[in-house]
Each structure stands twice: as structure tokens, then as C-alpha cells.
Amino acid sequence: MSQADSPAAGFRPFFNSATGEWVTYTALAEDTGGQLVRFSWRSVPGGVITEHVHPHQEERFTILAGRARFTLAGEELVAGPGETVVVPAGVPHSEGNPGPAEIDGVVELRPALRTKEWHEALAGLVADGKTTPRGAPKNPLQLGATFWHFRHESRVTSPPIWAQNLMLPPLWALAKAFGIRPYYQRWDSGTEVAGLPTGGTPR
């Protein structure tokens, strides 16, 4: 196993059933002076990550096995083993696995920001049964809390970002007043925090 594929000490894989992806962190912000986060990425056949943008981060996908379908600013491309796709900051993009095989890859985002917590929050809400099938929180206050808190890491492109900028801050403020948090420690993929064996899913 290469260094890029080796799990960071004390971290376990976690699964987001809404997107069909497994994530295992291999380099964290604190390991790199905040410069990047890196994780092993596995996408099951049929997995889809809806179109979104990273306002302040470059995202780099290196495909090790399988074939991944991407859209970048509306243009479609397919990447196979040994190929790398680079998504500049601010560019709308989506990823999917049309099958039939699982995709295995390595993903890096620069700078790191709070990417780890964002991914854990998305997977944790799904695992808690608090989202729609596509992974959006059913509770509008949780939507505001989580999606506004992590707005610097990722923004979905529908509804339009200008509409989100009007809608999410009031929901975020109400969520804060009612004690609804954007992120809960039980979602942390550190094995000591989660108390789960490697390969477990968030509770």
C-alpha cells in the first residue's frame, strides 16, 4: 500500500449511502500545515455526487481502478486508471460511477479548510436517517446549520447560490438558537472518538 493510500493513524473508512462513496482520510490539515487533505475514495456502481463547487479549493482526483464520469462546467469527461482530473476552485462539477466496477481513487483538496468535518457531517446525517435519499437534511434548521457553516468548503449549485445566500443565514441563526449544531463529535471518523472498528459506519 502506498503512502497516499495508507489511512491516517486512528482513522477509519466511512460510507455515505446517498452518494455511494467510501472515504478514508490519509492526510489531514494538521499533518500538512493546512495545505491539503487527502483521502482514499471508493465509489460503488451507481454512485453519484451532485453538482457542486468548492469556492476556495482545488480538487484533484487520481483514479487507480474503475472508470469515473465527471462533469466540469457542463463538459463531460471519463477518467480511468492512471488518469488525474483537476477541478479548479469555483468550477461547478459532479462525479459519478456508471459501473459496472467500483472506482478506487485518491482525492486531494488544497487548502484543507474543514473538508474532513464536512464529509463526516454529510455521511453522519445520512447514517442517522435525517436526510432525503439524495443526502439533503430533512430538517430545514439542520440544513441551514450544516450547509451554511461549511459554505467555504462546498456549495451545491441548485438552488442557485444567490438564493442559498438569502435562505440559509436565517435558518442557521434559528438552528443556533435551538441548539442544532452543524457537526457532532459522534460523526468523527477517528476510531478512538467513534469507538468503532475499522470499516464501521457512522452512528
Side-chain angles (χ1 to χ4, degrees):
M1 180 180 288
S2 70
Q3 182 178 1
D5 299 326
S6 301
F11 284 82
R12 60 174 173 80
F14 59 92
F15 183 62
N16 185 334
S17 61
T19 58
E21 59 182 340
W22 285 91
V23 170
T24 311
Y25 275 90
T26 59
L28 307 178
E30 51 265 40
D31 302 325
T32 63
Q35 292 302 303
L36 71 87
V37 292
R38 180 191 302 117
F39 56 89
S40 294
W41 177 60
R42 290 163 47 206
S43 176
V44 302
V48 175
I49 303 171
T50 191
E51 187 178 74
H52 60 286
V53 300
H54 302 292
H56 309 290
Q57 295 170 293
E58 174 194 273
E59 188 169 29
R60 181 181 297 261
F61 294 83
T62 299
I63 305 303
L64 305 177
R67 297 184 68 79
R69 179 176 294 161
F70 296 87
T71 61
L72 273 69
E75 297 293 325
E76 186 173 300
L77 63 91
V78 175
E83 296 182 307
T84 296
V85 174
V86 178
V87 184
V91 174
H93 61 288
S94 65
E95 305 93 46
N97 181 357
E102 188 175 88
I103 296 167
D104 186 11
V106 175
V107 181
E108 296 179 335
L109 289 104
R110 295 178 169 83
L113 302 183
R114 297 174 297 192
T115 297
K116 171 184 168 291
E117 290 80 7
W118 166 240
H119 287 157
E120 291 170 340
L122 293 176
L125 285 167
V126 172
D128 289 349
K130 296 183 177 179
T131 69
T132 67
R134 296 187 64 184
K138 295 176 184 176
N139 183 340
L141 298 188
Q142 186 68 67
L143 176 72
T146 299
F147 278 60
W148 190 248
H149 180 77
F150 290 107
R151 66 192 181 277
H152 298 301
E153 285 70 31
S154 185
R155 306 293 298 268
V156 294
T157 57
S158 181
I161 289 176
W162 66 262
Q164 297 177 47
N165 290 342
L166 294 175
M167 175 183 69
L168 293 179
L171 293 175
W172 171 83
L174 281 172
K176 191 173 182 181
F178 280 93
I180 296 174
R181 301 176 185 177
Y183 177 87
Y184 292 89
Q185 281 302 117
R186 68 178 181 272
W187 298 333
D188 194 315
S189 62
T191 53
E192 292 183 3
V193 174
L196 292 175
T198 299
T201 53
R203 290 184 295 195

